[in-house]
Amino acid sequence: MALLLARIGERDPGAPVVVTGDFNAGEGNPAAVAMRASFRDSFRVREPDAKEVGTFNGFKIGQTAGEKIDFVFVEPGTEVLEAAIVRTSRDGRYPSDHFPVTARIRLR
């Protein structure tokens, strides 16, 4: 995480930053906590009290428990218009072992 934050710090300070991905670390993990020191979790901006937030499903239909380990982090000042965990399936199957986390944002 330190490497990622260092690289972000090296950019043009006027350039916006959005960090996305599978962190394989829950919201309480030190890596996620470190990201939240400088960024906001777009999903939590829109859904601060959501309880059923698991993003790893292991291809098991209906598996929504567990930790949110996939994130869209945005800088403070970025407007989060929408954010969601997409749990769509087709014919009883998920397209991935993780649920996508999406956000629609407006950069400052």
Side-chain angles (χ1 to χ4, degrees):
M1 194 56 52
L3 178 60
L4 175 61
L5 291 171
R7 292 293 301 265
I8 291 168
E10 294 169 0
R11 81 190 193 297
D12 173 351
V17 175
V18 178
V19 180
T20 68
D22 169 7
F23 280 70
N24 281 325
E27 294 174 287
N29 182 283
V33 172
M35 286 301 295
R36 286 195 314 274
S38 299
F39 295 90
R40 299 182 309 150
D41 174 359
S42 62
F43 180 80
R44 286 300 185 191
V45 168
R46 301 298 301 180
E47 303 288 342
D49 300 319
K51 302 285 187 239
E52 196 170 324
V53 296
T55 57
F56 177 75
N57 61 55
F59 293 107
K60 296 177 186 159
I61 290 295
Q63 172 63 35
T64 59
E67 295 192 77
K68 187 164 93 54
I69 62 174
D70 300 271
F71 297 90
V72 177
F73 287 111
V74 297
E75 294 178 286
T78 300
E79 186 178 358
V80 180
L81 304 170
E82 297 174 6
I85 298 170
V86 180
R87 296 196 168 108
T88 304
S89 65
R90 180 181 285 170
D91 299 326
R93 295 180 180 200
Y94 293 129
S96 173
D97 62 340
H98 287 245
F99 295 117
V101 177
T102 63
R104 192 166 68 92
I105 61 174
R106 180 174 294 132
L107 299 173
R108 56 184 163 94

